[in-house]
Amino acid sequence: MDSLAKLSKLLDEDDFEMLEIYLGRAQNHVKSYCNLSELNETQQEIAEDIAIFNYRNKGVENIVSEGKGSLSESYRNDLPPDLIRRLNQHRRMRFV
C-alpha cells in the first residue's frame, strides 16, 4: 500500500490532493532535517506520521491547552518529542 493510501485510510480522508501536499511537506521536512536526498522505508513512515500530525492539527492553531477563566492558552512550537527522537536517529551531519 502506498503512502497516500495509508494516509487516506488512517485519516478517513478522500481528498488525495490535500494529503499529497501534507505528505510532500513532511517528506521535505525529513529530508532537510536529516540531510538526506531520498527516504528509506523507515524514514518514509516518519514522514507519514508527521503528515498525520500536521493534518490533525490543522485548524486548531497548535493549541496544546486552553483555559476560559482569565484566558490562558498554550501553543505547541514544534513536533512532539517522540517524532523528534525518531528523526534524530536518522540525522546525518553535513560538512561544508
Side-chain angles (χ1 to χ4, degrees):
M1 184 180 296
D2 72 334
S3 294
L4 284 177
K6 288 179 191 176
L7 289 178
S8 178
K9 286 275 191 198
L10 289 169
L11 296 171
D12 194 28
E13 176 65 58
D14 293 330
D15 186 354
F16 283 94
E17 289 179 11
M18 181 175 56
L19 293 177
E20 193 170 23
I21 291 169
Y22 277 100
L23 183 60
R25 288 183 176 184
Q27 290 169 334
N28 289 337
H29 179 77
V30 172
K31 287 177 186 177
S32 173
Y33 186 86
C34 296
N35 299 314
L36 302 169
S37 58
E38 54 186 66
L39 304 178
N40 65 28
E41 187 176 331
T42 305
Q43 295 156 349
Q44 182 63 31
E45 288 176 2
I46 296 170
E48 291 168 4
D49 290 341
I50 292 172
I52 290 169
F53 173 78
N54 289 335
Y55 176 86
R56 288 188 174 153
N57 282 312
K58 73 175 181 176
V60 294
E61 317 283 334
N62 288 329
I63 295 176
V64 176
S65 65
E66 179 179 338
K68 294 293 182 184
S70 79
L71 189 64
S72 173
E73 294 180 339
S74 298
Y75 296 92
R76 176 174 284 123
N77 294 327
D78 205 358
L79 294 172
D82 64 315
L83 284 176
I84 298 288
R85 181 183 43 76
R86 289 171 60 201
L87 281 170
N88 285 337
Q89 292 173 351
H90 299 276
R91 197 167 192 186
R92 295 183 178 173
M93 293 181 66
R94 182 181 303 180
F95 294 99
V96 182

